[in-house]
Amino acid sequence: MPMAKASSESSLEVLLNASEIAARIRELGEEISTDYRGRTPHLVGVLKGAWVFMADLIRNLSIEVTVDFLGIQSYAAGATSSGEVKITKDLDVSIAGRDVLVVEDILDTGRTYLYLRGALSAHQPQSLKLVTLLDKTSRRAVPVKADYVGFQIPDVFVVGYGLDYNQQFRRLPEVWSLRRVGLA
Ligand code: IMP
Ligand code: MG
């Protein structure tokens, strides 16, 4: 277990525990399996934050899926959204004619997904939807909406369950809010 105090300058508090996350992902898995029944959606996980969620999500699906990953960097370092998205790993296989379901860890300002949606649409998928584990709706700066949302969360910076702060905390099984003392 992590310490309650991450360092003298920051503190961590559990926002979502492992069993709440597991229960919600079971529901998402059922909903997605029902909606895509008879089809084989192509899940595109957005690296690096979404891979822990994606690994749990696919084990809760009762339909066949194919998977690929897109590597992007939307934050150079720290917590400030620039809106600038850099592709660090492109798709391996074509999404033309596929039912694409993008898997994200978190929707914040929406800028990353706005960019991704445009880039992916250009490759003519049959359909394009988004599932995000976490949604900070109050932070939205551009008009994007997820088709499936695990949890609506308040405007706090979160880590754990794949999400990081400068590559720290991804391994934690829970979602924690990270408060940097002195940084509001
Ligand atoms: P957006 O472009 O502002 O929607 O940001 C989306 C991306 O920013 C996510 O995929 C995350 O990688 C990162 N991000 C946004 N909020 C948080 C957070 O609270 N913790 C960790 N990463 C975050
Ligand atoms: Mg991300």
Side-chain angles (χ1 to χ4, degrees):
M1 289 295 287
M3 296 170 293
K5 256 194 171 327
S7 77
S8 58
E9 308 233 309
S10 63
S11 67
L12 284 170
E13 265 174 55
V14 174
L15 194 65
L16 302 166
N17 67 40
S19 57
E20 289 175 86
I21 297 170
R24 183 67 188 121
I25 293 177
R26 269 197 297 280
E27 293 175 351
L28 284 176
E30 279 171 26
E31 201 182 333
I32 290 168
S33 299
T34 302
D35 291 355
Y36 286 90
R37 184 76 55 207
R39 293 183 283 165
T40 302
H42 189 56
L43 269 52
V44 173
V46 182
L47 296 173
K48 306 186 200 38
W51 111 92
V52 174
F53 170 44
M54 185 158 158
D56 283 343
L57 181 66
I58 64 166
R59 283 176 288 178
N60 282 280
L61 295 175
S62 54
I63 50 169
E64 288 304 320
V65 293
T66 55
V67 302
D68 202 351
F69 293 94
L70 202 53
I72 59 152
Q73 263 174 5
S74 46
Y75 290 170
T80 312
S81 183
S82 63
E84 260 176 62
V85 176
K86 182 178 144 202
I87 303 270
T88 56
K89 185 220 164 283
D90 208 344
L91 295 175
D92 289 338
V93 295
S94 168
I95 58 166
R98 299 298 309 274
D99 290 305
V100 174
L101 179 59
V102 176
V103 183
E104 264 284 22
D105 49 0
I106 188 165
L107 206 51
D108 185 25
T109 65
R111 290 195 176 103
T112 305
Y113 187 64
L114 185 71
Y115 171 84
L116 283 185
R117 193 174 64 185
L120 293 171
S121 301
H123 291 95
Q124 273 140 19
Q126 167 88 26
S127 65
L128 181 59
K129 284 190 177 187
L130 170 66
V131 54
T132 186
L133 178 69
L134 307 172
D135 189 354
K136 288 192 221 174
T137 317
S138 65
R139 291 259 307 163
R140 205 73 88 249
V142 293
V144 298
K145 219 174 140 278
D147 300 279
Y148 305 95
V149 175
F151 300 92
Q152 298 281 353
I153 63 164
D155 181 9
V156 289
F157 194 82
V158 290
V159 295
Y161 198 73
L163 290 110
D164 74 310
Y165 175 68
N166 288 343
Q167 290 282 2
Q168 267 183 285
F169 311 117
R170 290 194 201 275
R171 66 177 182 83
L172 301 177
E174 308 82 12
V175 171
W176 298 71
S177 65
L178 174 67
R179 201 165 60 87
R180 275 145 300 134
V181 176
L183 289 180

